[in-house]
Amino acid sequence: MVVADWGAYSGVAGSREIFDGPAARALCAELESQGLGRVLVTFGVADGPTFTIGLGAEDSCAAYWESADPPYYESVGSLPADALIDDAYDTQHSELPGTVRIPKSLALDGLAEFVETGRRPSSITWTET
């Protein structure tokens, strides 16, 4: 089980327990249907690995942390760093470089893999930050 947490610029925030990949995908679809705008949703295990996905646009991004200590990983996309993404993270602005932008389908596949395995998804290309 992982816990999903989110907070949009509008102040809409929430948390939900997720038990499998299909439930994680369903939550993402539900959040996007609410029109919250670009928002980062974090799926994590208490004191363990965390996977973050960007929602609310045609593209996405992903981040993975094994723990609160480095190393941290970001998805690798093909856009330049100055193609910035402004996402809500816990209702606050979080600006990410364009280099993390990946297709949403790839990010959702990675999310499902993370929820099922608890490990850094092999379906995404990562860079250590």
Side-chain angles (χ1 to χ4, degrees):
M1 178 205 58
V2 300
V3 176
D5 293 297
W6 63 92
Y9 292 135
S10 64
V12 173
S15 183
R16 185 177 302 169
E17 292 180 345
I18 300 293
F19 294 94
D20 58 24
R25 287 177 183 267
L27 173 62
C28 290
E30 176 186 327
L31 293 175
E32 288 198 313
S33 74
Q34 294 176 13
L36 301 177
R38 288 197 86 120
V39 61
L40 295 172
V41 182
T42 300
F43 293 79
V45 178
D47 298 323
T50 300
F51 182 92
T52 301
I53 185 171
L55 300 177
E58 290 190 24
D59 62 359
S60 188
C61 60
Y64 175 83
W65 297 13
E66 185 67 33
S67 70
D69 298 318
Y72 311 119
Y73 298 90
E74 292 179 338
S75 52
V76 175
S78 60
L79 292 175
D82 62 355
L84 299 175
I85 306 170
D86 181 26
D87 284 294
Y89 178 73
D90 196 22
T91 72
Q92 303 297 312
H93 286 276
S94 179
E95 198 168 78
L96 302 172
T99 54
V100 302
R101 288 181 168 191
I102 59 174
K104 188 181 302 182
S105 61
L106 182 59
L108 289 168
D109 289 347
L111 171 59
E113 184 179 346
F114 170 76
V115 171
E116 296 292 338
T117 68
R119 298 176 190 232
R120 182 166 41 113
S122 61
S123 57
I124 294 175
T125 301
W126 300 98
T127 187
E128 188 175 321
T129 61

